[in-house]
């Protein structure tokens, strides 16, 4: 984390990266989406659509379809039509998608490690706001 701190400071001090036309914005919007992150985590190995859906409790078919299409468009996921009857479709991570596994892993680990504190702070905030 220490190595990235100067990068964030430089971005903030020079007003870089936060412009409305910054090319990183749509990419961050895509990969930081909860369903995108979860779908990519499930794709540690190639999987069919329904298997992905079963593993992502709460995702609708429509949202999963949109998520996988965006990931495919951005080069993170590859869609392969299987020569089966009926025709099946399998999804897998591309090399580019694989390169996100490590940073996603760090973010997930941070989330799990800090979930209790965040939830406690949310409850405290909600009590203050209701008062």
């Amino acid at each position: 984390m220490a190595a990235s701190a100067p990068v964030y400071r430089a971005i903030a001090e020079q007003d870089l990266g936060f412009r409305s036309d910054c090319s990183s914005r749509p990419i961050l919007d895509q990969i930081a989406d909860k369903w995108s992150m979860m779908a990519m985590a499930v794709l540690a190995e190639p999987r069919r659509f329904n298997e992905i859906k079963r593993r992502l409790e709460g995702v609708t078919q429509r949202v999963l379809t949109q998520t996988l299409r965006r990931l495919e468009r951005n080069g993170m996921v590859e869609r392969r039509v299987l020569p089966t009857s009926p025709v099946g479709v399998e999804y897998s991570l591309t090399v580019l998608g694989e390169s996100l596994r490590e940073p996603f892993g760090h973010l997930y680990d941070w989330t799990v490690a800090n979930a209790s504190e965040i939830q406690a702070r949310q409850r405290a905030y909600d009590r203050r706001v209701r008062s």
Side-chain angles (χ1 to χ4, degrees):
M1 189 67 165
S4 63
V7 173
Y8 291 124
R9 188 170 29 259
I11 289 170
E13 289 171 357
Q14 298 174 25
D15 290 329
L16 300 175
F18 299 114
R19 294 176 38 155
S20 63
D21 62 347
C22 178
S23 62
S24 69
R25 279 190 174 199
I27 297 166
L28 286 171
D29 184 48
Q30 166 66 56
I31 63 175
D33 172 74
K34 72 176 178 181
W35 292 121
S36 294
M37 292 183 75
M38 290 186 214
M40 290 179 69
V42 166
L43 288 172
E45 60 186 56
R47 298 191 191 279
R48 289 184 175 213
F49 182 91
N50 284 330
E51 186 178 359
I52 298 167
K53 187 173 181 314
R54 276 193 300 275
R55 295 188 62 150
L56 298 178
E57 188 174 320
V59 71
T60 64
Q61 182 164 336
R62 179 178 172 267
V63 168
L64 182 56
T65 298
Q66 291 171 338
T67 298
L68 290 169
R69 283 181 182 162
R70 284 193 318 265
L71 288 169
E72 182 182 9
R73 180 174 182 259
N74 289 332
M76 306 293 167
V77 167
E78 180 177 61
R79 179 181 184 271
R80 186 170 67 100
V81 177
L82 303 172
T84 58
S85 182
V87 174
V89 176
E90 181 180 78
Y91 295 88
S92 60
L93 291 178
T94 63
V95 173
L96 186 61
E98 276 290 335
S99 72
L100 275 173
R101 290 182 62 74
E102 184 177 353
F104 273 178
H106 291 300
L107 180 58
Y108 178 78
D109 291 345
W110 180 90
T111 303
V112 170
N114 292 285
S116 294
E117 181 179 349
I118 292 168
Q119 291 166 346
R121 289 175 181 253
Q122 289 170 340
R123 287 189 297 273
Y125 174 87
D126 292 345
R127 282 192 301 271
R128 276 193 324 271
V129 171
R130 278 189 227 126
S131 298

